[in-house]
Each structure stands twice: as C-alpha cells, then as structure tokens.
Amino acid sequence: MASDGGRKQFWKRSGAKVPGSIQHVYGAQHPPFDPLLHGTLVKPGSKPPTTPVKLKKVSTFQEFESNTSDAWDLGDDDDELLAIAAENLNTEVVMETAHKVIENHSKLQEQHKFQEEHLQEEKQVESVELTSIACGDNRLVKSISEGHTSSSSDNASENTSMQRSQSLPQTSAPPLVSGMADCNTLVTPALTEREASRLDKFKLLLAGPNTDLEELRKLSWSGIPKRVRPIAWKLLSGYLPANVDRRESTLQRKRKEYFAFVEQYYDSRNDENHQDTYRQIHIDIPRMSPEVLRLQPKVTEIFERILFIWAIRHPASGYVQGINDLVTPFFVVFICEYIEEEVENFDVSSLPEEVLQNIEADSYWCMSKLLDGIQDNYTFAQPGIQKKVKMLEELVSRIDEQVHRHLDQHEVKYLQFAFRWMNNLLMREVPLRCTIRLWDTYQSEPEGFSHFHLYVCAAFLVRWRKEILEEKDFQELLIFLQNLPTVHWGNEEISVLLAEAYRLKFAFADAPNHYKK
C-alpha cells in the first residue's frame, strides 16, 4: 500500500487547467458583481489591488475539491465568488456601465416604438389610397394615357403612390366565402401587372368612338375587370349600341320605355288574370341569392316589377320558377357603378330614386336580351331544358363512359340533378361571384347561354368524377349532385371549368352528330 507521501504526490496538480476550476464568467446569466447589492461581502477597509491577485497553487485533492464548483453543487461558494469579483472590479466603472446599458436599452425601445407607429401610419395611408384608386368614379376610370397629360406635381404624387403599391404584395383577391360577387369587393389590393394591362386594353377599346364588339368579346372571354363590367355587359348583351354618341340617348329612351310599361301594366297585378303570376313571383323572390339582398324591401319591390312586366310582355312563356335568379347578376353588377362599398353590406334604399330606376330599367332590358336566346327553356313543359338534359346525357356518355355507367347503374337520372343546372344556369350550384365570372364568358360566346352552357355542364359533372365513383348508393349520389361543395370556389376554378368546356366544344366542333353514339 502506498505511503501518505506517495498519496500526496499522486494528487499533486500539474500547471494545466483542470475542468471545473473557478473561472469568472460575466454575461446575461452571470452579471458583474454589484457592491451596492452585496455590500456585506466586501470589507469596508479593503482596497482593490492595483495588480491581479495571484491565487495560491493547489497542491492536494482536498484543496482542489474545496475550490471547485460542480454542476450538482448547491452554490455554497457563491459568496466567495462574489467577493473575489468585487476585489477585481471598480465600483464606479460598474455603475457607469450599468447606466449606459439601461440608457441604450431605453433608446432602442423608443426607436422601435416610433418605427412601429410610423409603419402603422404608412399602412393606413396606403389603404386609403388603394380605396380611392379602386373606387374611382361612378363611370369609367380615366385611362393611363390620359393620366400622363397631367401636371408635373400630379406625376410626382403618382410616382410616390406607385412606389408604395409596388412595395405591397401583389396578390389577387381571395375567394369570398359568402355568395357575393367579386365585383362587390371594391377595396382590393393593388392590381397585378397583368390585371392592369387588361384593364388598360378594355379602357382603350371602350374609349373609341365605335367599340369593336368582336374585339370586346375576345377580351371578355377570359373575364372582365370589375371597373368596366357594367358598360361591357350592356354592350355585349346588345342593350347599348357600339357608337359612343348614341349610347346616352339609347339609355334615356329605353329607361323611359320600361317605366311606361310599369305604368301601363303593373297596376293589373291584382287582377284575376294575373293574380297567380304575381303570387308566384312574390313567393320565389325570398328564395333568391344572396340573402342580404332578398331581405331588403326595396330590392323585393324592384324585382317584383321587373319579373311581372317581363311575364306580361312575354305571354308565350309567362313567369316560370327560376327566371327570378337571372335578374340578380345584372342587378348586382349594375349597382357597382354607383356604390363604394360591398353590396352585401349596403342599404339599397339609401341610393337616390333616379339611380335605382336606372338600375331597374337596365336590369330588365339585359335580362330580356338573355331570355330571348333561351325562351324555349320556359315555355309550356319547358322543351328547351328537356332537350338540353338529353344532349348532356349523350355528351357525358362520350366524354366519360365510366361516370355515365356509374350513374345509370345506380338509377340516377340526369333530369333529377341537371334540370336545375339548365333552368338556373348553374346559379344554384356555384356562388354568385362565380356566376358573374361565368357570364363574362357566356356573353362573349355565340349562343353562350344555350349552346356553350351545355359543354360547361358536361365539364362541371366530370369535374366531380372521383367523388361520384366513390358513392355507391342512389340517395348519397343524388344528395351529392344536388349539393356540390363549391362554396369556396373563385375565379381560378371557374377559369379551369371554362377552359375544359371550350376544349370539349372544340373537340366536337365539326361533328354534328357527336351527341349520338
């Protein structure tokens, strides 16, 4: 067994540092020793040495252990550490440093607060500018070419607002969950470069003395910017002439003519001959979409007049359930000419009476133009719809035989779900914003509401092929087809649907018997 001398020799340390030895670390978790807080640890008579104190060399394990603080120690040597730190630090330096840190921190806090307030103000200014840009005038907005002729001060302000708008994320407006149209959201983000370019093309085309309707149809096929949609729809429907000089006189004449009909026929709504028609109209209007509009008495009154006058003026068909839905898109689009807020949040009765009369007359004439092309849908026994549903069945059997066989196998008849698609032009299947986008293209297509609509319905049905093939029960299939999950649809989904419909139409364009096997 080794002697005591040997044991001491064994534990004698070399000059190298030993892990766990005392080393002063100053940082966020270990601040420098503050004599004010720990004054009792410092002897009042002691003076800090001018030269560093050389610690006694550790020679034995016992001495090493007593001067070492491991992770599991409970901090018995904290007082010693603080005392040693106090001996090596000047009190004035410590206090001066602490004050500087606090002062710098306060300055930084004030600076951050100021920057946040400034950023908030900039955002508010930008939102106000965007609102004014988006809302614009009640009529057509000035084109960019006109804007360049303004004064140099105007150019400077335009450049400033352009820089601000470029700093914002240029994204399209998110799809609205409610059934309202995208044209109702007048406070929108800055237009993307493509959207701005398209808007300029529309403005340039509409500003000429004679609008090229063929060119307007080409531009409108891919969607019409909301700012020019009212005038574009009136031109595409044939309500307004292409000549700019004749438009105002045409509007005045047609509006006067409509209210002459109202004066002549509307009082007869309670007559025995017309009671049933008026009663059916009165029942159907509360079922229309969107809900906010139908709850407004002024809107109900306007729709009743439009539908009753149309029914009296078209005795071959009269009023048929479903026609009430076809007024809504025109009414919503034309009201966007006069308001700066969303239609769903707007009290229609607050508009001047003259403005409401203009919207009513314009909606009547544009709806009449639409129905002229599909009137056989609404004559006795609705032969137009019966024929179109049969054509849809034949077309789907050629496009996707598996879906067609699946529906036939579970005894689901096309008339059970597609009748409404034809009768309401898919208005009950997609949100109103999507219907308005759909109608941009329908009015650009020859026979859009009749012929092209058939291909849209075929593409719409095949769009749900996966979900249809997963359903193995008649009831579940029919419930699904009558309640398709399109509530979150927007322009993107409608554009894809229209592209597929156009592809189908193009594929069968030169095949007159393609409906038949």
Side-chain angles (χ1 to χ4, degrees):
M1 192 168 178
S3 63
D4 292 341
R7 191 177 296 162
K8 286 183 182 179
Q9 187 65 28
F10 174 78
W11 288 109
K12 187 165 181 174
R13 282 191 55 188
S14 65
K17 289 183 179 179
V18 178
S21 60
I22 298 173
Q23 297 179 24
H24 304 298
V25 180
Y26 305 119
Q29 294 179 343
H30 303 282
F33 173 71
D34 189 347
L36 296 178
L37 297 176
H38 302 87
T40 56
L41 299 176
V42 185
K43 294 179 181 179
S46 63
K47 293 182 181 179
T50 54
T51 57
V53 178
K54 192 172 184 181
L55 297 175
K56 185 181 177 182
K57 196 171 185 181
V58 181
S59 58
T60 65
F61 177 72
Q62 287 80 7
E63 292 174 350
F64 167 74
E65 185 180 24
S66 65
N67 288 300
T68 304
S69 176
D70 288 324
W72 50 83
D73 284 343
L74 297 176
D76 296 333
D77 297 328
D78 284 351
D79 292 346
E80 286 186 28
L81 290 172
L82 291 169
I84 294 169
E87 290 179 0
N88 290 290
L89 288 173
N90 188 306
T91 306
E92 293 179 3
V93 173
V94 170
M95 294 304 295
E96 187 180 350
T97 305
H99 283 306
K100 281 184 180 179
V101 170
I102 293 168
E103 192 177 343
N104 289 339
H105 181 70
S106 300
K107 285 182 180 177
L108 282 173
Q109 290 283 64
E110 289 176 6
Q111 199 172 9
H112 285 314
K113 188 176 178 182
F114 176 77
Q115 286 176 352
E116 285 177 4
E117 289 176 355
H118 187 64
L119 192 62
Q120 190 90 7
E121 288 175 4
E122 279 192 348
K123 285 182 179 177
Q124 289 175 355
V125 170
E126 286 166 359
S127 66
V128 170
E129 288 177 355
L130 288 172
T131 305
S132 63
I133 291 168
C135 294
D137 193 80
N138 287 340
R139 301 292 178 182
L140 289 179
V141 187
K142 282 186 179 181
S143 65
I144 288 178
S145 58
E146 292 174 358
H148 285 308
T149 60
S150 58
S151 64
S152 59
S153 62
D154 290 341
N155 287 337
S157 63
E158 284 176 9
N159 290 337
T160 307
S161 62
M162 180 65 75
Q163 288 170 359
R164 285 180 179 171
S165 64
Q166 286 173 350
S167 68
L168 295 172
Q170 295 184 346
T171 55
S172 60
L176 301 171
V177 176
S178 66
M180 293 313 300
D182 62 347
C183 81
N184 302 334
T185 312
L186 296 180
V187 183
T188 56
L191 295 176
T192 63
E193 188 177 344
R194 181 179 177 276
E195 289 169 342
S197 174
R198 278 179 55 75
L199 182 59
D200 288 342
K201 287 179 182 177
F202 272 95
K203 288 177 182 176
L204 192 63
L205 186 62
L206 295 168
N210 288 287
T211 302
D212 185 343
L213 294 180
E214 191 57 39
E215 189 63 29
L216 181 61
R217 288 189 188 96
K218 288 179 183 176
L219 271 179
S220 302
W221 204 99
S222 301
I224 303 171
K226 57 182 172 287
R227 300 182 194 178
V228 295
R229 185 176 275 135
I231 184 70
W233 275 27
K234 290 171 188 175
L235 287 166
L236 291 170
S237 66
Y239 174 46
L240 283 185
N243 184 272
V244 175
D245 296 333
R246 291 174 51 214
R247 285 178 195 166
E248 192 57 38
S249 61
T250 302
L251 281 173
Q252 290 178 5
R253 177 172 55 81
K254 298 298 280 183
R255 288 166 180 172
K256 187 177 179 181
E257 187 179 346
Y258 168 73
F259 282 101
F261 293 154
V262 171
E263 190 176 348
Q264 183 179 355
Y265 299 116
Y266 194 59
D267 287 341
S268 68
R269 64 188 181 278
N270 294 319
D271 292 355
E272 191 176 345
N273 294 339
H274 303 140
Q275 253 183 354
D276 291 343
T277 299
Y278 182 73
R279 184 175 58 83
Q280 190 60 54
I281 290 170
H282 195 70
I283 290 170
D284 287 348
I285 285 178
R287 300 173 182 169
M288 73 181 191
S289 176
E291 183 180 350
V292 178
L293 284 179
R294 72 185 184 216
L295 294 176
Q296 296 190 34
K298 192 67 180 177
V299 176
T300 301
E301 180 189 328
I302 289 170
F303 275 55
E304 283 179 357
R305 276 199 297 266
I306 290 173
L307 294 168
F308 184 77
I309 298 302
W310 189 88
I312 297 298
R313 296 275 304 160
H314 297 81
S317 62
Y319 175 76
V320 177
Q321 230 175 352
I323 295 178
N324 57 307
D325 282 335
L326 306 184
V327 185
T328 309
F330 291 115
F331 183 81
V332 169
V333 167
F334 295 156
I335 208 172
C336 283
E337 280 189 280
Y338 302 98
I339 67 172
E340 297 181 357
E341 10 178 335
E342 298 178 13
V343 172
E344 59 182 350
N345 299 325
F346 186 75
D347 180 11
V348 174
S349 62
S350 65
L351 284 171
E353 190 62 32
E354 185 184 353
V355 168
L356 289 173
Q357 288 179 355
N358 292 344
I359 294 168
E360 181 179 340
D362 295 347
S363 301
Y364 169 82
W365 287 114
C366 288
M367 185 199 72
S368 297
K369 292 284 185 181
L370 185 161
L371 288 170
D372 285 348
I374 56 172
Q375 193 165 349
D376 62 340
N377 284 9
Y378 305 103
T379 53
F380 178 73
Q382 300 182 271
I385 291 179
Q386 302 275 355
K387 183 183 176 184
K388 288 184 178 73
V389 170
K390 183 64 178 173
M391 291 164 72
L392 175 66
E393 184 176 353
E394 295 288 350
L395 186 57
V396 172
S397 69
R398 303 288 298 274
I399 295 167
D400 196 326
E401 191 177 357
Q402 189 178 1
V403 168
H404 176 72
R405 277 204 321 267
H406 187 76
L407 293 173
D408 186 57
Q409 180 184 345
H410 292 89
E411 299 180 349
V412 176
K413 305 299 180 187
Y414 282 74
L415 208 58
Q416 292 170 324
F417 62 88
F419 181 89
R420 191 171 71 181
W421 296 9
M422 303 299 176
N423 191 52
N424 301 83
L425 299 177
L426 289 176
M427 279 197 63
R428 296 296 177 98
E429 319 312 317
V430 296
L432 183 56
R433 62 179 175 274
C434 296
T435 297
I436 288 174
R437 169 63 190 90
L438 204 59
W439 284 23
D440 287 346
T441 301
Y442 280 3
Q443 295 189 89
S444 309
E445 275 278 330
E447 298 182 320
F449 290 98
S450 54
H451 187 63
F452 187 66
H453 179 67
L454 176 68
Y455 294 97
V456 171
C457 288
F460 188 61
L461 179 62
V462 175
R463 158 72 176 75
W464 308 101
R465 77 181 309 275
K466 180 176 175 287
E467 292 83 353
I468 289 170
L469 294 175
E470 285 174 355
E471 299 291 351
K472 307 296 183 184
D473 176 67
F474 166 80
Q475 187 176 352
E476 294 299 323
L477 264 171
L478 203 56
I479 289 172
F480 175 74
L481 289 168
Q482 290 178 345
N483 300 278
L484 293 165
T486 60
V487 68
H488 297 292
W489 273 32
N491 284 351
E492 187 177 343
E493 288 80 6
I494 292 297
S495 296
V496 172
L497 181 69
L498 288 166
E500 179 61 19
Y502 184 80
R503 186 188 70 80
L504 294 175
K505 181 192 170 188
F506 185 79
F508 294 112
D510 298 320
N513 296 320
H514 69 271
Y515 296 122
K516 299 177 182 178
K517 290 183 181 179

